[in-house]
Amino acid sequence: MSSPPITAVVPTHNRPEMMRRAVESILAQEYDAPIEVIVVFDACDPVLPEVDIPAGRTLQGVVNERVRGLAGARNTGITGASHELVAFLDDDDAWLPGKLTVQAEAFERHPAAVLVGTAMIVDDGERTHERRVGSTLVDHTMLLHDRLPGLHSSSFVVRRSALLGDLGLIDEALPRSYGEDYDLLLRATALGEVVVVDEPFVSVTWQGQSYFFGRWKDYADALEYLLAKHPDFADHRRAVGRIESQIAFARVSAGQREEGLRWARRSLVHSPTQVKAALAMLIAARVLTTEQVTRIVQRFGKGI
């Protein structure tokens, strides 16, 4: 069978050189079907990079006129896409060779798949770390218990008909759009199959330039939103304890000590082994700082 055409959506905000690299990594894909690249300019001037556009590839720029932020920008690209398969790529990340081919093959093997992702390589500016998912099929219960951080949104290819139908678009009500990828995965696994090509086909940049880096109050607000939106977390004590521990860490890191301690205590009641809840208590007691913790975990290619 011939490969299906794909639309790649690249939201961007005032990062022209990084965006150029992202676009070039899409255009460089050796893929035997058309690729449409839509760069969505979010609250910035719509200036496309000057790049060579191979045959069978198109590049266009549009302005996000929906809710400002990543969710609105992605939805602008999705609704404007010409093809059934829509791929996401953040402007500070890059695809590796062969990505679209292996994902198209995965969709062919799994016709019920709603979303296909891949593993990734994390680049922190000094070293790289390979992060795999550990599974080729992801179900809803797995995601309730573990965000599966190896499964990054820059690897996602999603059926547009699902996004415009039962799955729904990216949730623009999420505070600062934080966790929109996790929300999408939770909804996708409740609807159908999520398939993973568990080899790294995306390079993800972690050098402190993320729009979300250090926005602890926004993290906490978004996590509380997700916890309320997905009540099935409450059916699994360890799962709800995990989210509560993340909220606790974010609240104390934002300087909301008492609120963070309340979330930490709730987390440990539900799941006594939650490390982030214990770390939140140590930060609240000024034994540790948030910066010390994040510096250590980032050395291992991980995040809080």
Side-chain angles (χ1 to χ4, degrees):
M1 293 178 63
S2 60
S3 300
I6 289 179
T7 296
V9 176
V10 184
T12 192
H13 174 74
N14 287 335
R15 298 199 287 204
E17 291 307 314
M18 287 185 171
M19 180 263 286
R20 172 196 292 274
R21 183 188 69 145
V23 168
E24 288 178 335
S25 77
I26 299 169
L27 296 174
Q29 290 284 306
E30 293 186 0
Y31 186 68
D32 60 355
I35 301 175
E36 172 186 55
V37 184
I38 301 178
V39 179
V40 184
F41 294 89
D42 184 39
C44 62
D45 292 334
V47 180
L48 285 170
E50 295 182 5
V51 293
D52 293 330
I53 303 175
R57 311 292 183 251
T58 62
L59 173 64
Q60 63 173 303
V62 298
V63 174
N64 175 22
E65 295 182 348
R66 301 176 68 100
V67 172
R68 181 177 175 180
L70 184 58
R74 280 211 175 118
N75 287 339
T76 296
I78 292 164
T79 56
S82 302
H83 304 309
E84 164 64 358
L85 294 183
V86 178
F88 300 158
L89 180 59
D90 292 347
D91 64 356
D92 54 343
D93 300 332
W95 288 350
L96 302 179
K99 176 186 182 291
L100 292 184
T101 297
V102 299
Q103 289 180 285
E105 291 169 352
F107 272 109
E108 185 177 344
R109 292 193 305 272
H110 300 270
V114 175
L115 182 154
V116 174
T118 77
M120 67 178 181
I121 291 172
V122 176
D123 183 352
D124 67 7
E126 296 181 359
R127 60 187 73 82
T128 60
H129 309 269
E130 189 176 286
R131 299 197 73 175
R132 297 181 187 251
V133 179
S135 178
T136 56
L137 284 175
V138 173
D139 65 34
H140 194 64
T141 301
M142 287 171 64
L143 277 169
L144 289 173
H145 284 89
D146 189 341
R147 165 57 185 85
L148 302 177
L151 186 54
H152 192 277
S153 57
S154 284
S155 80
F156 292 0
V157 178
V158 194
R159 293 192 188 276
R160 183 171 182 267
S161 56
L163 289 162
L164 298 179
D166 292 344
L167 176 58
L169 290 169
I170 311 303
D171 188 346
E172 295 177 15
L174 262 166
R176 295 275 185 171
S177 296
Y178 177 72
E180 44 77 35
D181 51 349
Y182 188 30
D183 173 60
L184 185 67
L185 287 170
L186 287 166
R187 290 188 281 130
T189 51
L191 181 66
E193 287 187 353
V194 168
V195 176
V196 179
V197 178
D198 207 14
E199 299 286 338
F201 283 97
V202 176
S203 175
V204 173
T205 306
W206 282 8
Q207 295 178 27
Q209 77 287 342
S210 166
Y211 298 135
F212 306 124
F213 188 78
R215 296 179 181 269
W216 296 111
K217 182 181 180 301
D218 295 335
Y219 291 175
D221 290 346
L223 288 168
E224 289 187 31
Y225 177 95
L226 287 173
L227 194 55
K229 180 176 179 178
H230 297 278
D232 41 353
F233 274 112
D235 297 332
H236 305 268
R237 292 179 65 85
R238 187 167 62 85
V240 75
R242 179 178 67 85
I243 298 293
E244 289 169 340
S245 74
Q246 292 175 315
I247 296 170
F249 189 96
R251 289 294 180 205
V252 297
S253 297
Q256 298 171 314
R257 180 178 177 277
E258 293 304 320
E259 192 172 354
L261 286 172
R262 283 196 296 273
W263 280 104
R265 288 190 287 268
R266 287 174 59 176
S267 169
L268 293 172
V269 167
H270 285 127
S271 180
T273 60
Q274 293 300 326
V275 173
K276 290 188 184 73
L279 288 172
M281 289 180 161
L282 291 172
I283 292 168
R286 298 182 175 83
V287 175
L288 288 174
T289 67
T290 300
E291 291 71 23
Q292 287 171 325
V293 175
T294 55
R295 195 161 51 241
I296 291 168
V297 297
Q298 284 175 348
R299 263 185 222 150
F300 296 94
K302 299 184 182 296
I304 293 290

